Amino acid sequence: MYLDPYYRFNDLNYRWISLDNWTYSKEFQIPFDISKWQKVHLIFESIDTVSEVLLNNVLIGKTNNMFRRYTFDITHVVKALNSIEVRFQSPVSYAAQQSRAHTLYQVPPNCPPSVQEGECHVNFIRKEQCSFSWDWGPAFPTLGIWEDVRIEAYNSCHLNYFTFSPIYDNSTQDWNLEIESSFDVVSSKPVSGQVIVEIPKLQTQQSYSVELQPGERIVKLFVKMNKTVTIETWWPHGHGNQTGYNMTVLFKLNKDLEIKKSAKIYFRTVELIQEPIKGSPGLSFYFKINGVPIFLKGSNWIPADSFQDRVTSDLLSLLSHSVVDANMNTLRVWGGGIYERDEFYELCDELGIMVWQDFMFACALYPTNRGFMSSVRTEVAYQIRRLKSHPSIIIWSGNNENEAALMMNWYNVDIEYMSTYVTDYVKLYVKNIREIVLAEDKTRPFITSSPTNGAESVAEGWLAKNPYDKHYGDVHFYDYFSDCWDWSIFPKARFVSEYGYQSWPSFSTLEKVSSKEDWSYNSRFAVHRQHHVSGNDEMLSQAQLHFKLPQHTDPLRLFKDTIYLTQVRHFHSGVQKFPAANIRDM
């Protein structure tokens, strides 16, 4: 209990951990004869975040991005018996160093609001932005190895990545499949052979001849589906089935080398419709799935835990099934967290949960120096290749609230320097991220920000004068002062992608992370847990509009009744925010 990082004030008590540098070390044996292999790689699926990796006291590489895979060539360093060290630098000190090094101009915000008790300069490090604190959560700037690590050895050639996209041809009304594979050919001679693609239930089997020249090679295959077989499409929850088909892709190369990939393929189309509306200014903003307009109902998804190693398969299953049980059909993977693990998207595919996928930039301006941009390009390309085969993902969005942050001047930027920040914004989200999305994935739409005016923002040079215009794009809506039971205060917008009101979690949740002295609405604990300025007072003000505030003489009963009232006021309006469940409303 007392060691739990969520217990009472442990987010402050344990802050020293993220301020220190840490070294992970291990000795290990290679269970095969190294001399028989032409190339040996050490692969980190993801590493959090800034580190130097040494194998047998030789520096083999550095890391500085939590959102990408790192592959290090250890062919000439690895032995039968090895020692490895991963030397992590404090993410807090790294972010501060990067900010200080950016001497031409400041890139705000420097620090979060003091009520959040967070760390500064999170926009200078490519890691989970909310790990430095947010208005709904603690500052736990994690560091360590958070995904798998492995060694791969190979001769001749090796498959680096494999990705695919079902493509619908509107002119012929046929489905096709684009498959892309990347190979590292280490042979001094070309590697040739066959690729066999099979989708048994669709009676599709096609073979292709390939010849791979030495070096890094891309193989692109175009698979035509059997026209005599009816393809069942994937539908969102409540609109049809989530039919998928098993596919195998077998590479038979140089007679004795076989590489087999298995995957599930789903067929669906998605369109973002932005067109004039008769009798109304502005443009529409809605989605069609398989040509049918779909009403999106859902929540914003923030990381399920501050520590990803605590997120189990059971927890992901519980939360995703809860989405369906609550009659939602959409989750927005919010841009201040992480690109979720494969299992999350697989669950969304199977349950028919549409995913609005932000890239991981939120509530900040960002640097655009060469090193930062190079890291972002690698990150974005990697994540698109990893995720684009999931039918659940219906849109890519460049960031969370950064168009609004810049154009509404949240950070009091001197007007003299505004053009510099506008140029940086367009460089990052349009000339880099958007260009990569268009090159890597032609099957779903992209918008630069959320909220945005969509096509109108594009027409205004990618940044709208009023990103909150209800007649275009999507809006975010927070109003802590008006009566949340009054339906007329909510915007009649084209699309509302974020809104809500705070409530306290149930006492059964709080009890696990607090002690008896904390069980009062005005306790030091209750104030510490509130990361939104005046948030506790605002909740009581809302409750007081329709209820008498509890007056019980028993302090515990008074506390329980009060936190209950912060919750019950939402269920009348149907607008809820669930900080304890790590789900934010859409």
Side-chain angles (χ1 to χ4, degrees), residues 425-581:
Y425 181 95
V426 173
K427 181 179 179 181
L428 177 56
Y429 301 112
V430 180
K431 294 182 178 178
N432 279 276
I433 293 177
R434 178 177 177 271
E435 289 303 310
I436 294 169
V437 172
L438 294 180
E440 294 286 343
D441 181 16
K442 300 177 179 64
T443 68
R444 49 177 65 82
F446 170 82
I447 56 173
T448 49
S449 186
S450 176
T452 181
N453 286 357
E456 176 61 22
S457 288
V458 176
E460 293 183 37
W462 301 103
L463 288 149
K465 291 178 182 176
N466 176 19
Y468 292 116
D469 193 324
K470 294 180 290 186
H471 300 101
Y472 299 94
D474 68 318
V475 300
H476 293 185
F477 176 72
Y478 290 95
D479 180 349
Y480 300 109
F481 305 103
S482 301
D483 184 357
C484 70
W485 284 18
D486 180 2
W487 62 268
S488 66
I489 71 167
F490 295 96
K492 299 174 183 65
R494 305 306 188 214
F495 193 102
V496 183
S497 51
E498 193 175 313
Y499 64 89
Y501 291 84
Q502 272 199 327
S503 74
W504 273 88
S506 298
F507 181 74
S508 59
T509 298
L510 288 172
E511 188 177 19
K512 297 170 186 173
V513 293
S514 59
S515 64
K516 190 174 181 179
E517 64 194 277
D518 302 323
W519 297 342
S520 145
Y521 197 78
N522 296 312
S523 68
R524 178 170 162 247
F525 170 81
V527 172
H528 174 70
R529 275 304 208 260
Q530 177 55 261
H531 279 196
H532 170 64
V533 175
S534 302
N536 289 347
D537 292 336
E538 289 169 359
M539 282 187 268
L540 290 188
S541 296
Q542 282 288 323
Q544 211 163 7
L545 291 174
H546 298 281
F547 300 98
K548 291 182 179 179
L549 295 184
Q551 302 293 328
H552 208 282
T553 55
D554 175 22
L556 181 57
R557 176 68 183 273
L558 178 65
F559 184 50
K560 289 181 178 180
D561 288 350
T562 304
I563 61 178
Y564 171 75
L565 272 193
T566 71
Q567 299 172 342
V568 75
R569 65 194 175 90
H570 295 322
F571 289 101
H572 186 282
S573 66
V575 181
Q576 301 129 40
K577 186 175 181 181
F578 301 95

Side-chain angles (χ1 to χ4, degrees), residues 219-233:
V219 175
K220 293 186 178 182
L221 305 176
F222 188 76
V223 183
K224 292 190 174 182
M225 296 294 109
N226 187 335
K227 293 184 179 182
T228 65
V229 179
T230 300
I231 294 177
E232 292 187 31
T233 48

